[in-house]
C-alpha cells in the first residue's frame, strides 16, 4: 500500500475523529515569508562559495526550481544582487 495525499488526509481525519491526534493537524499551515527564505538561501549559496558569480547563483536557483520573489521561474543577476544586499542589511 502506498501513501497518497488523500489517503493520508483520510487517515488523519479518522484519527482526529477518534481523539487519537489533535484536530489542529488538519488546519492549513501559515504562509511562510518567501522573501526571508530566499534571502537566507541566496546568502547561504554565496557563503558556501564566495567566488561564485551572480549569474552562477541565478543558474543554481533555476536548477533548484526556486521561484523568484515575484513568482517567476527565470532568475536574473539583479534579483540575486538585491537579495544579497538585503541579506547584508539584515546582518
Amino acid at each position: 500500500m502506498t501513501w497518497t495525499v488523500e489517503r493520508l488526509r483520510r487517515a488523519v481525519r479518522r484519527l482526529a475523529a477518534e481523539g487519537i491526534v489533535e484536530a489542529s493537524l488538519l488546519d492549513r499551515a501559515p504562509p511562510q515569508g518567501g522573501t526571508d527564505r530566499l534571502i537566507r538561501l541566496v546568502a547561504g549559496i554565496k557563503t558556501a562559495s564566495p567566488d561564485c558569480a551572480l549569474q552562477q547563483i541565478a543558474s543554481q536557483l533555476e536548477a533548484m526550481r526556486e521561484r523568484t520573489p515575484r513568482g517567476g521561474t527565470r532568475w536574473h543577476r539583479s534579483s540575486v544582487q538585491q537579495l544579497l544586499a538585503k541579506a547584508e542589511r539584515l546582518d
Side-chain angles (χ1 to χ4, degrees), residues 1 8 12 15 25 27 32 36 42 52 64 75 79 81 83 87 89:
M1 173 165 139
L8 184 59
V12 172
L15 292 171
L25 287 176
D27 295 343
Q32 293 184 350
D36 292 342
V42 170
C52 196
M64 294 169 60
W75 280 88
S79 300
Q81 189 174 18
L83 288 174
R89 285 193 301 263

Side-chain angles (χ1 to χ4, degrees), residues 4 7 14 32 42 46 61 68 71 75 81 85:
T4 63
R7 272 192 186 155
R14 192 174 304 133
Q32 293 184 350
V42 170
K46 186 65 174 176
L61 291 168
T68 65
W75 280 88
Q81 189 174 18

Side-chain angles (χ1 to χ4, degrees), residues 39 43 46 80-91:
I39 291 171
K46 186 65 174 176
V80 174
Q81 189 174 18
Q82 288 173 355
L83 288 174
L84 285 172
K86 287 180 183 179
E88 288 177 11
R89 285 193 301 263
L90 291 176
D91 285 341

Side-chain angles (χ1 to χ4, degrees), residues 33-54:
T35 305
D36 292 342
R37 188 182 65 79
L38 286 175
I39 291 171
R40 289 192 310 268
L41 179 63
V42 170
I45 292 172
K46 186 65 174 176
T47 303
S49 53
D51 56 336
C52 196
L54 295 175

